[in-house]
Amino acid sequence: MRTFKLKKKDIITPYFVVGGKDVKRPIRSMPGIYHFSVDNLIKDIRSARGIEEVLLFGVSKTKNDTASAAYHEFGLIQKAIRAIKKEFKNLKVVTDVCLCAYTSHGHCRILKKGKQKAKLAVDKKATLETLAKIAVSHARAGADFVAPSAVMDGQVAVIRHALDCEGFKSTKILAYSAKYASNFYGPFREALNSSPKFGDRTSYQLDPRNTDRGLAKIEEDIKEGADLVMVKPALAYLDILYKAKKKFKTPIAAFSVSGEYTMIKKLADGDSAKEKELVLEALTSMKRAGADRIITYFGKEVIKWLG
Ligand code: PBG
Ligand code: ZN
């Protein structure tokens, strides 16, 4: 008989980082989750005793066509990483590497004028170069893992190459490999103010009706040098997680996304005992399916519960 147990080291807790000082602003779409300025981020991590690993998302006010705020040496995330590393020597930092919070249009890629009039096309070269610049700037600030999430073909290889060239061979890559076009991202997009201004992301995120693409993407990312691959969302995609775990040796992370968080929050309706049972049951299903790591907005609570 095999039983599955959650462990503290499985858990990665996401944080949303904003500019300014002394900011702790509730996110309306995600009750219990906040926008933190760097000073308050440090305070919150300190109060969440036992937390071992965080995933940082930048919530940028500066947005433009080149997403340049994303790779500024003293940008939001770069400052946050430096502050965390100064304060907590053993805390592992993972950073989301994407453009959607930094582009004026809210897409995860750089766009250029297309062949057809009035239609924009993806500038693949500029997108990959920008992702590499972001990853290197995070590594320079001290990130342990960079997590490219733009779903751009070749992003893992380009980032691996850039990190190696700049002397960051030990910085690892968590690839958002099997990233489905999901309605469970809704609350996050409000949290990040990153909904595309036009169009949507279904052209580059995966079609939920298809399994093979997800597995193929995971395989590609492993070949390109990913140290950890991801299936996202988690709950509605446990079959993908299970199949990937059977097929590949590389460790796999499950991202239990914002909609999964709010779904449980709503169901528990303020009853904390019920909430705990729901969260542990849901996360255990991810372990059963094969997740080596779990990214969950309940991270701080889970760490507490596991003692
Ligand atoms: C985009 C990104 C998304 C999430 C993390 N990075 C989804 C999207 O808007 O396409 C979703 C996370 C969540 O819902 O918790 N790069
Ligand atoms: Zn994005």
Side-chain angles (χ1 to χ4, degrees):
M1 191 175 68
R2 190 154 174 215
T3 54
F4 292 84
K5 264 192 93 175
L6 284 168
K7 298 197 194 70
K8 273 203 220 175
K9 65 170 181 39
D10 299 336
I11 305 295
I12 303 175
T13 306
Y15 273 100
F16 295 102
V17 187
V18 296
K21 278 209 171 71
D22 200 23
V23 183
K24 178 181 177 181
R25 197 182 312 128
I27 298 171
R28 207 174 41 99
S29 58
M30 300 177 72
I33 306 294
Y34 300 83
H35 283 158
F36 286 112
S37 52
V38 174
D39 51 346
N40 281 350
L41 170 73
I42 298 296
K43 281 189 199 150
D44 198 76
I45 294 175
R46 194 178 293 126
S47 71
R49 255 176 257 274
I51 194 170
E52 292 180 13
E53 191 155 357
V54 296
L55 166 61
L56 304 181
F57 289 105
V59 186
S60 182
K61 272 201 180 143
T62 317
K63 298 177 192 269
N64 58 28
D65 289 345
T66 56
S68 60
Y71 53 82
H72 196 281
E73 195 184 341
F74 301 103
L76 264 181
I77 292 300
Q78 292 80 358
K79 275 198 269 192
I81 302 166
R82 288 197 181 91
I84 292 174
K85 286 292 175 181
K86 193 169 155 226
E87 204 67 31
F88 315 101
K89 297 279 172 289
N90 297 321
L91 196 90
K92 288 241 177 338
V93 178
V94 188
T95 58
D96 189 77
V97 173
C98 204
L99 309 190
C100 47
Y102 304 89
T103 50
S104 22
H105 43 68
H107 278 285
C108 303
R109 286 108 179 265
I110 300 219
L111 304 178
K112 60 179 180 190
K113 287 210 176 68
K115 290 203 181 74
Q116 287 163 281
K117 248 200 307 190
K119 257 209 160 173
L120 290 169
V122 177
D123 189 337
K124 188 173 173 192
K125 189 164 166 278
T127 302
L128 288 172
E129 280 170 9
T130 308
L131 290 167
K133 274 196 228 171
I134 300 171
V136 168
S137 77
H138 290 176
R140 189 165 284 131
D144 299 282
F145 262 98
V146 291
S149 70
V151 205
M152 183 89 235
D153 281 345
Q155 61 180 1
V156 173
V158 167
I159 288 174
R160 184 69 270 159
H161 181 73
L163 289 172
D164 291 348
C165 290
E166 297 291 328
F168 299 107
K169 285 203 188 322
S170 61
T171 308
K172 296 196 167 91
I173 300 179
L174 160 57
Y176 280 74
S177 309
K179 181 171 176 179
Y180 286 86
S182 171
N183 293 295
F184 285 97
Y185 304 151
F188 174 92
R189 290 183 183 170
E190 195 182 316
L192 216 61
N193 184 19
S194 70
S195 290
K197 301 279 177 292
F198 50 81
D200 58 37
R201 298 194 179 121
T202 53
S203 62
Y204 45 99
Q205 296 183 348
L206 303 177
D207 181 347
R209 293 166 297 187
N210 183 308
T211 14
D212 300 347
R213 274 302 286 148
L215 294 170
K217 291 297 280 181
I218 291 173
E219 188 162 10
E220 270 169 45
D221 286 348
I222 291 172
K223 283 195 185 129
E224 289 183 24
D227 301 279
L228 181 60
V229 291
M230 188 201 291
V231 174
K232 177 184 165 194
L235 273 187
Y237 297 83
L238 292 178
D239 58 323
I240 309 288
L241 196 59
Y242 184 73
K243 284 187 180 139
K245 188 64 198 169
K246 291 240 134 146
K247 196 161 176 206
F248 307 109
K249 290 205 184 66
T250 306
I252 302 187
F255 194 149
S256 185
V257 300
S258 56
E260 298 174 46
Y261 173 83
T262 52
M263 196 161 65
I264 291 180
K265 276 276 172 202
K266 290 221 160 105
L267 186 55
D269 197 20
D271 180 336
S272 53
K274 202 153 128 192
E275 185 170 297
K276 177 179 173 183
E277 296 301 319
L278 285 163
V279 172
L280 293 177
E281 183 179 343
L283 300 190
T284 302
S285 78
M286 295 161 208
K287 282 293 282 187
R288 251 183 3 247
D292 297 287
R293 314 300 308 281
I294 299 174
I295 301 167
T296 167
Y297 296 97
F298 288 108
K300 287 190 287 184
E301 285 79 10
V302 177
I303 299 283
K304 237 185 276 156
W305 298 331
L306 295 179

